[in-house]
Amino acid sequence: MPCWTIVSCAFVLSACAVFAHSADDHLLGCLQNATDSVVVPANTSAYNLAIAFQANSATTAYIRPRAFVYPNSQPEISSIVECAAQFNCPIVARCGGHSYEGYSMINDGIVVDLSNFLDITIDRVDQTVSVGAGNWLGRVYAVLENYGFVLPGGDCPDVGISGHTLGGGYGLLSRQLGMLVDSLLEVSLIDAKGSIRIVNEKTDSQLFWALRGAGANNFGIVTNFKFKLHPLPTNLAISVLYWPPPADVQALVTLFVRFAPDLPPHLWMELETDASGSVSVTALQYDSEKVEENILSQKFPSGYTSQNKTYTGYTGIISDRSGYSREKIENDRAGLRNSRKFKAFHVFTNNSSSERLLSSREAFETLITPLTNTTLCGNPSLVLNVFGGTISQVPRQRTAFYHRDPSLVGYLATIDFGNCAAQGQVEAAELWRRGLEQHTLRQSFQNYVDSSVPLVWYYGDENMRKLLEVKRQYDPENLWHFPGGLSE
């Protein structure tokens, strides 16, 4: 949505160009006069680099912010917010740039890039950590590991801590330790008035509830997170089973979906398949030197090769899965960035919907046929993750993240475009998702945001109503609005 200062000239093109330029000048002047932040306007080389920072480069073709701003402090962000409000201009925060739909940028608006907020302060007595919103997961894990602690986030090292946490934060340790948002104790937030708030269960219980699952750019800009820490386990064991093509995909997926949700919390499991017809299953056992052999050998058919490894820290697993060294993971965020063009969607099944999906060949074909679609230009893949465990021990109403059913399996489908035309790949992904709808839950994980699904899939009916009430209370003028945001 454009800033309202230029809407009035929409019908007079020549005047509009002049007036829009004037409005840009006034907005940029406000930003530059109010703060010492670096302000990057359009039509500059720095602006092009800022656009290119997005992880999904398919989104950069159609999103053009008015300016990027790089603040160094909370008061500077407060001043930026006041400028946005003065000019009725959309404003969003960006940490990692990993929003699948590019929602950490916004057309004709202000992008507040938080990359300067890099403090990490550990309290070993209280076993808590304060993390600046500009940090990335790999850096956080590496720093914590030096002190014998860990957090249960995801395994992509360059993903930003902010959006990951505020959407829920799922990772290899989540079945044992819960979602990352379940370890969140407090945040610092700049609200729609530019006020600095400390938000926790005592100060703002309703806002804190909403931030834990629906917090990304809906209620303000979070600048700092305080987490409860978990002691680093002595060992983490990983086993990877690999079936070369042509693997029996239906048999392996059926086995996975039917038994993986019943695993004890200290076991995590993932299945991955793609257009090649191969299948891999990865299992992690918490605080163990090896994965229990009977878990794998008695459940899955032979014909696989296996690799087993024991780690003394989470960062080693992240390094092996990403292919980057620990030093790069901790210190070289730019070197981690692997921007690509893709479209992805995510759905869940539970016990009953899993049986609908697996009960007939026709139903199952809606899941796997797109993987072997020879007319598809892009490269499709499918990853299944088991949720449940400790995640499901948290009451569904406690946070805005509500995917707490103990039998949940998540399905993340992705089509990488490569050099293919984007439109055809997006349409193919949408057809894939629609084919699955009748066989899966109408739920989706908000960290894998998809513009084609309704928001209620992320939050559920009851939580959605409550979120809109919180939105009206804390952002009555709807300053924080973007295409995938909370709205009436």
Side-chain angles (χ1 to χ4, degrees), residues 1 3 18 31 62 68 71 134 140 153 180 196 203 217 247 249 279 305 311 333 429:
M1 181 180 294
C3 296
V18 174
L31 295 172
Y62 55 86
F68 292 85
V140 174
L180 182 56
I196 301 171
T203 62
N217 283 323
V249 177
V279 174
T305 58
Y311 299 84
R333 184 179 197 172

Side-chain angles (χ1 to χ4, degrees), residues 186-187 197-206 208 474:
E186 181 178 281
V187 303
R197 290 177 176 267
I198 302 299
V199 184
N200 55 44
E201 287 279 12
K202 294 182 179 179
T203 62
D204 268 310
S205 61
Q206 292 303 301
F208 190 54
Y474 289 93

Side-chain angles (χ1 to χ4, degrees), residues 18 50 79 111-113 123 197 239 275 284 292 352 461 478 481:
V18 174
S79 297
V111 177
V112 181
D113 190 295
D123 187 326
R197 290 177 176 267
S239 287
L284 176 145
E292 299 170 22
S352 59
D461 291 324
N478 200 26
H481 62 271

Side-chain angles (χ1 to χ4, degrees), residues 43-63:
N43 301 316
T44 64
S45 58
Y47 180 89
N48 295 334
L49 289 173
I51 289 281
F53 181 74
Q54 293 297 118
N56 185 2
S57 57
T59 65
T60 63
Y62 55 86
I63 302 177

Side-chain angles (χ1 to χ4, degrees), residues 235-239 266-268 283-293 295:
N235 293 297
L236 293 166
I238 289 277
S239 287
H266 63 271
L267 284 162
W268 169 91
L284 176 145
Q285 186 156 340
Y286 192 87
D287 208 11
S288 176
E289 291 186 1
K290 64 178 182 178
V291 176
E292 299 170 22
E293 292 183 7
I295 292 295

Side-chain angles (χ1 to χ4, degrees), residues 241 243 248-257 259-260 268-274 278-283 300 321 364 367-368 371 381-386 409-412:
L241 309 185
W243 288 263
D248 190 341
V249 177
Q250 182 169 8
L252 292 169
V253 168
T254 298
L255 284 169
F256 180 93
V257 171
F259 93 89
W268 169 91
M269 196 169 287
E270 171 186 87
L271 181 148
E272 183 171 3
T273 186
D274 58 25
S278 66
V279 174
S280 65
V281 171
T282 302
F300 290 106
R321 284 172 66 88
F364 190 78
L367 178 66
I368 64 169
L371 294 172
S381 62
L382 180 67
V383 177
L384 278 63
N385 288 122
V386 59
V409 175
Y411 303 71
L412 176 61

Side-chain angles (χ1 to χ4, degrees), residues 160-179:
I161 191 71
S162 294
H164 189 65
T165 301
L166 296 171
Y170 172 84
L172 283 67
L173 308 182
S174 291
R175 283 178 51 81
Q176 175 70 27
L177 302 177
M179 300 294 289

Side-chain angles (χ1 to χ4, degrees), residues 5-6 9 14-27 66:
T5 50
I6 67 172
C9 56
S14 59
C16 182
V18 174
F19 196 27
H21 181 72
S22 175
D24 280 345
D25 288 345
H26 287 125
L27 174 63
R66 185 161 291 192

